[in-house]
Coordinates of all heavy atoms in Angstrom, one line a residue:
M1 N 81.7 33.7 24.5 CA 80.9 34.3 23.4 C 80.0 33.2 22.9 O 80.5 32.2 22.5 CB 81.7 35.0 22.4 CG 80.8 35.9 21.4 SD 82.0 36.9 20.3 CE 80.8 37.9 19.5
L2 N 78.7 33.5 22.8 CA 77.8 32.6 22.2 C 77.6 32.8 20.7 O 77.2 33.9 20.4 CB 76.4 32.6 22.9 CG 75.5 31.5 22.4 CD1 75.9 30.0 22.8 CD2 74.1 31.8 23.2
L3 N 77.9 31.9 19.9 CA 77.8 32.0 18.4 C 77.1 30.8 17.8 O 76.9 29.8 18.5 CB 79.1 32.3 17.8 CG 79.8 33.5 18.3 CD1 81.3 33.5 17.8 CD2 79.2 34.8 17.7
Y4 N 76.8 30.8 16.5 CA 76.2 29.8 15.9 C 76.9 29.2 14.6 O 77.6 30.0 14.0 CB 74.7 30.1 15.5 CG 73.9 30.7 16.5 CD1 73.4 32.1 16.5 CD2 73.6 30.1 17.8 CE1 72.8 32.6 17.5 CE2 72.8 30.6 18.7 CZ 72.4 31.9 18.7 OH 71.8 32.5 19.7
I46 N 71.1 33.4 13.7 CA 70.5 32.1 13.3 C 70.2 32.0 11.8 O 70.4 31.0 11.2 CB 69.4 31.7 14.1 CG1 69.7 31.4 15.6 CG2 68.6 30.5 13.5 CD1 68.6 31.0 16.4
V69 N 71.9 23.5 13.1 CA 72.6 24.7 13.6 C 73.1 24.2 15.1 O 72.3 23.7 15.8 CB 71.8 26.0 13.6 CG1 70.6 25.9 14.5 CG2 72.7 27.1 14.2
F70 N 74.4 24.6 15.3 CA 75.0 24.4 16.7 C 75.2 25.7 17.4 O 75.7 26.7 16.7 CB 76.2 23.5 16.6 CG 76.0 22.1 16.1 CD1 76.3 21.8 14.7 CD2 75.7 21.1 17.0 CE1 76.2 20.5 14.4 CE2 75.5 19.8 16.6 CZ 75.7 19.5 15.3
A71 N 74.8 25.7 18.7 CA 75.1 26.9 19.5 C 76.5 26.6 20.1 O 76.8 25.5 20.5 CB 74.2 27.1 20.6
V72 N 77.5 27.5 19.9 CA 78.8 27.3 20.4 C 79.3 28.4 21.4 O 79.1 29.5 21.0 CB 79.8 27.4 19.1 CG1 81.2 27.3 19.5 CG2 79.5 26.2 18.2
E73 N 79.8 27.9 22.5 CA 80.4 28.8 23.5 C 81.9 28.8 23.2 O 82.5 27.8 23.3 CB 80.0 28.4 24.9 CG 80.4 29.4 25.9 CD 79.5 30.6 26.0 OE1 78.3 30.5 25.9 OE2 80.1 31.7 26.1
V74 N 82.4 30.0 22.9 CA 83.9 30.1 22.6 C 84.6 31.2 23.2 O 83.9 32.3 23.2 CB 84.1 30.0 20.9 CG1 83.3 31.3 20.4 CG2 85.6 30.0 20.6
M210 N 78.9 18.5 22.7 CA 78.0 18.8 23.8 C 78.4 18.1 25.2 O 78.6 16.9 25.0 CB 76.5 18.5 23.4 CG 75.5 19.1 24.4 SD 74.7 20.3 23.7 CE 73.3 20.6 25.0
G211 N 78.3 18.8 26.2 CA 78.8 18.1 27.5 C 80.2 18.2 27.9 O 80.5 17.7 29.0
R217 N 83.2 24.9 22.8 CA 82.4 23.7 22.9 C 81.0 24.0 22.5 O 80.4 25.1 22.5 CB 82.4 23.2 24.4 CG 81.7 24.3 25.3 CD 82.1 24.0 26.8 NE 81.4 24.9 27.7 CZ 81.7 26.2 28.0 NH1 82.8 26.7 27.4 NH2 81.1 26.9 28.8
I218 N 80.3 22.9 22.1 CA 78.9 23.1 21.6 C 78.0 23.0 22.8 O 78.2 22.2 23.8 CB 78.6 21.8 20.7 CG1 79.3 21.9 19.4 CG2 77.0 21.7 20.4 CD1 79.1 20.7 18.6
V219 N 77.0 23.9 22.8 CA 76.2 24.0 24.0 C 74.7 23.9 23.6 O 73.8 24.2 24.3 CB 76.4 25.3 24.8 CG1 77.8 25.3 25.5 CG2 76.3 26.5 24.0
G220 N 74.4 23.6 22.4 CA 73.0 23.4 21.9 C 73.0 23.0 20.5 O 74.0 23.2 19.7
S221 N 71.9 22.5 19.9 CA 71.7 22.2 18.6 C 70.3 22.2 18.2 O 69.3 22.0 19.0 CB 72.2 20.8 18.4 OG 71.4 19.7 18.9
I222 N 70.0 22.4 16.9 CA 68.8 22.2 16.2 C 69.0 21.3 15.0 O 69.8 21.7 14.2 CB 68.1 23.6 15.8 CG1 68.0 24.6 16.9 CG2 66.8 23.4 15.2 CD1 67.6 26.0 16.6
E237 N 64.1 18.9 16.0 CA 64.6 18.5 17.4 C 65.6 19.6 17.9 O 66.4 20.2 17.1 CB 65.4 17.2 17.4 CG 64.4 15.9 16.8 CD 65.3 14.7 16.7 OE1 66.5 14.8 16.7 OE2 64.6 13.7 16.7
Y238 N 65.4 20.0 19.2 CA 66.3 21.0 19.7 C 66.8 20.6 21.1 O 66.2 19.8 21.8 CB 65.8 22.4 19.6 CG 64.5 22.4 20.4 CD1 64.5 22.8 21.7 CD2 63.3 22.2 19.9 CE1 63.3 23.0 22.4 CE2 62.0 22.3 20.6 CZ 62.0 22.7 21.9 OH 60.9 22.8 22.6
E239 N 67.9 21.2 21.5 CA 68.5 20.9 22.9 C 69.4 22.1 23.4 O 69.8 23.0 22.5 CB 69.2 19.6 23.0 CG 70.6 19.6 22.1 CD 71.2 18.4 22.1 OE1 71.0 17.6 23.2 OE2 72.0 18.1 21.2
G240 N 69.6 22.1 24.6 CA 70.7 23.1 25.1 C 70.2 24.4 25.1 O 69.0 24.7 25.5
E241 N 71.1 25.4 24.5 CA 70.7 26.8 24.6 C 69.5 27.2 23.8 O 69.1 28.3 23.8 CB 71.9 27.6 24.1 CG 73.2 27.4 25.1 CD 72.9 28.3 26.4 OE1 72.2 29.3 26.2 OE2 73.4 27.8 27.3
F242 N 69.0 26.3 22.9 CA 68.0 26.6 21.9 C 66.6 26.4 22.6 O 66.3 25.4 23.3 CB 68.1 25.8 20.6 CG 69.4 26.3 19.8 CD1 70.4 25.4 19.5 CD2 69.3 27.6 19.3 CE1 71.3 25.8 18.7 CE2 70.4 28.0 18.6 CZ 71.4 27.1 18.3
S243 N 65.6 27.3 22.1 CA 64.2 27.1 22.5 C 63.5 26.6 21.3 O 64.0 26.6 20.2 CB 63.6 28.5 23.1 OG 63.7 29.4 22.0
E244 N 62.2 26.4 21.6 CA 61.4 26.1 20.3 C 61.1 27.3 19.3 O 61.2 27.1 18.1 CB 59.9 25.6 20.8 CG 58.9 25.4 19.7 CD 57.6 24.7 20.2 OE1 57.6 24.1 21.2 OE2 56.6 24.9 19.4
E245 N 61.1 28.4 19.9 CA 61.2 29.7 19.0 C 62.3 29.7 18.2 O 62.2 30.0 17.0 CB 61.0 30.9 20.0 CG 60.9 32.2 19.1 CD 60.8 33.4 20.0 OE1 60.7 33.2 21.2 OE2 60.7 34.5 19.4
D246 N 63.5 29.4 18.8 CA 64.8 29.5 18.0 C 64.7 28.4 16.8 O 65.0 28.6 15.7 CB 66.0 29.1 18.8 CG 66.3 30.2 19.9 OD1 66.0 31.4 19.5 OD2 66.7 29.8 21.0
A247 N 64.2 27.2 17.3 CA 64.0 26.2 16.3 C 63.2 26.5 15.0 O 63.5 26.2 14.0 CB 63.5 24.8 16.9
D249 N 62.6 29.5 14.1 CA 63.2 30.6 13.4 C 64.3 30.0 12.3 O 64.4 30.4 11.2 CB 64.0 31.5 14.2 CG 63.0 32.5 14.9 OD1 61.9 32.6 14.5 OD2 63.4 33.1 16.0
P276 N 62.0 19.0 22.1 CA 63.3 18.9 22.6 C 63.9 17.5 22.4 O 63.1 16.5 22.4 CB 63.3 19.3 24.0 CG 61.9 19.0 24.4 CD 61.0 19.2 23.2
I277 N 65.2 17.4 22.2 CA 65.8 16.0 22.1 C 65.7 15.3 23.5 O 66.0 15.9 24.5 CB 67.3 16.1 21.6 CG1 67.3 16.7 20.2 CG2 68.0 14.7 21.6 CD1 68.7 16.9 19.7

Side-chain angles (χ1 to χ4, degrees):
M1 189 172 186
L2 184 66
L3 298 166
Y4 307 117
I46 290 179
V69 58
F70 291 98
V72 174
E73 189 71 44
V74 56
M210 189 110 167
R217 63 196 185 281
I218 293 172
V219 294
S221 68
I222 302 170
E237 301 174 345
Y238 59 91
E239 64 179 339
E241 292 290 325
F242 289 118
S243 65
E244 181 173 330
E245 182 179 358
D246 294 328
D249 286 346
I277 297 174

